[in-house]
Amino acid sequence: MTTAAITLWSDANYFSPYVMSVYVALQEKGLDFQLKTINLGSGEHLKPGWQGFDSTRRVPLLQVDDFFLSESSAITEYLEERFAPPAWGRLYPHEREKRARAR
């Protein structure tokens, strides 16, 4: 469907509800993506060399080609704008007030 290389970074224990919201958005959009983990408990996210080190050092972290983005609401809005909507419709409602509530 898309030629972009997409990676979603999650905590190693998959506890983050914020990661889950991005995961669901990727699934609903029908996008192919790779899921990678970072061990927050051992402080792996605080070490230079991790992809998200120069960002917020938190998950979720989305990588699309050479573009990195954190914060789940920013990520889902980016996915909505960057990639075509699924056959059933949009992730966010078209009407401004409904879209504001969804956010």
Side-chain angles (χ1 to χ4, degrees):
M1 178 174 279
T2 178
T3 59
I6 303 172
T7 302
L8 173 62
W9 288 87
S10 173
D11 59 291
N13 295 317
Y14 303 103
F15 286 149
S16 171
Y18 305 107
V19 172
M20 180 58 74
S21 68
V22 175
Y23 181 88
V24 168
L26 287 162
Q27 291 288 331
E28 290 295 322
K29 287 285 221 181
L31 298 171
D32 293 324
F33 65 97
Q34 183 177 24
L35 182 63
K36 291 187 178 180
T37 60
I38 187 86
N39 190 328
L40 303 179
S42 70
E44 195 176 358
H45 61 299
L46 301 174
K47 297 176 183 171
W50 176 57
Q51 303 291 20
F53 184 80
D54 292 331
S55 184
T56 62
R57 300 181 189 173
R58 296 168 38 190
V59 296
L61 177 72
L62 182 77
Q63 178 182 359
V64 178
D65 297 326
D66 294 330
F67 176 69
F68 292 86
L69 186 62
S70 61
E71 302 300 330
S72 59
S73 59
I75 293 170
T76 56
E77 288 183 39
Y78 170 77
L79 292 171
E80 178 74 346
E81 293 175 9
R82 167 86 192 262
F83 299 101
W88 53 262
R90 302 165 45 100
L91 294 178
Y92 287 93
H94 184 70
E95 297 83 7
R96 179 181 24 242
E97 288 78 12
K98 290 180 181 179
R99 192 169 55 251
R101 284 192 184 111
R103 288 180 179 139

